[in-house]
Amino acid sequence: MSVIEVRGLKKSFGAFEVLRGIDLTVEAGERIAIIGGSGCGKSVFLRCLELLEIPDAGKIFIDGEELTAPDVDIDRIRRSMGMVWQNFNLFTHMNVMENLTVAPTKLLGMTTDAAREKAMGLLAQVGLTSKAEAYPEFLSGGQKQRIAICRSLMMNPKVILFDEPTSALDPTMVGEVLAVIRMLTKQDLTMIIVTHEMNFAREVADRILFFADGVIYEQGTPAEIFDAPKLPKTVAFIHKQKYFSFDIDERAFDLPKMQGGIQAFAEKYGLNARRTNRLQLCCEELIYEMLDHACEGDAVKISLDVTYSEADGTVAIKCTCAGKSYNPLDKTFGEDVDEDNLGAMILHNLSQDYSHEYSGGVNKITFSLA
């Protein structure tokens, strides 16, 4: 049975369209992790699920009831959802016990004694019974977030929404909060977690949603998304790929500008001097090979793309060149090439996984830097 159903959800801020049509069904007990770059709408989506942001279009159903319907009792439906924020949002004028018991006593009609008993049980689960009377200002970030999780659980929610629960924490405190969330995954709670902790998402989620371009760009199991992403932007995000591009439209192109751009790119992402020199050499020889043998007359159209993967440290080079079919390594890669062709020899010695394709009057060459 679905606990959350979202149909055609859209949200804009002025001319900026953040969500361009989100469709999602979340089943009871399912654990979903949402990943994506900054500004892709992950947190806005969670806020829309509680109508903390009012959607411009679309419908949201919580446990079969339409949250976006006119005259709906929003507060009643919200009680079935817990929200854990980036910045904890504890009441600073209340101690921990008061933070935990105020909502269930006022909204659920729970007695003070019952609320305190439940609160102490939850504090015991997260190792913070000694902090029951402490005020938030005397707690660490990790302790505040554990208290915030307990506060959500006090309302017996059917769904808990986590909005990057570790992003405001010191790295030394991240582990203690993730441990609590791992504990919750064993309780059959329905959970939607916006996170930048990729290993954690892989470990706890049943399904991964990758947000990009205002939509759910790609989704699948953790293995499908992290080990075998299919779409280009997912691949780039998962492998933390960085790009350098340079276009050439005349034979007398600005070689120093290209090489300077490669140098700056390499320094920015920590490539050592040896790899940087090899990258510059490969790009220069490849372009001159194509200018000499593929481009016809003054018709020059070459695009160079360098991709660096922070995940595994690989450097890939792609060159497209309009003109005649020409492959600098015109024999099977790994065999001897023309020893009189210095450019081809350099490419042969410094590249691996080389491929050449000619289609529609365009050469496409790709390889990795050895």
Side-chain angles (χ1 to χ4, degrees), residues 5 23 41 55 65-66 92 95 114 116 153 211 253 298-299 338 345:
E5 186 175 354
D23 295 292
E65 291 191 80
E66 186 184 346
T92 57
N95 65 26
R116 288 183 65 89
L153 294 172
F211 272 40
F253 73 101
D298 293 329
D338 184 358
M345 285 296 299

Side-chain angles (χ1 to χ4, degrees), residues 77-103:
I77 298 177
R78 276 179 179 159
R79 290 170 198 162
S80 65
M81 292 188 290
M83 185 81 172
V84 178
W85 308 88
Q86 298 179 29
N87 295 310
F88 328 126
N89 287 4
L90 298 178
F91 298 118
T92 57
H93 65 289
M94 296 181 180
N95 65 26
V96 167
M97 182 57 65
E98 291 167 337
N99 264 281
L100 297 183
T101 58
V102 61

Side-chain angles (χ1 to χ4, degrees), residues 122 125-126 153 178-187:
L122 290 172
Q125 290 184 47
V126 301
L153 294 172
L178 296 184
V180 172
I181 301 175
R182 288 188 187 95
M183 177 186 68
L184 296 181
T185 64
K186 301 175 182 178
Q187 300 181 17

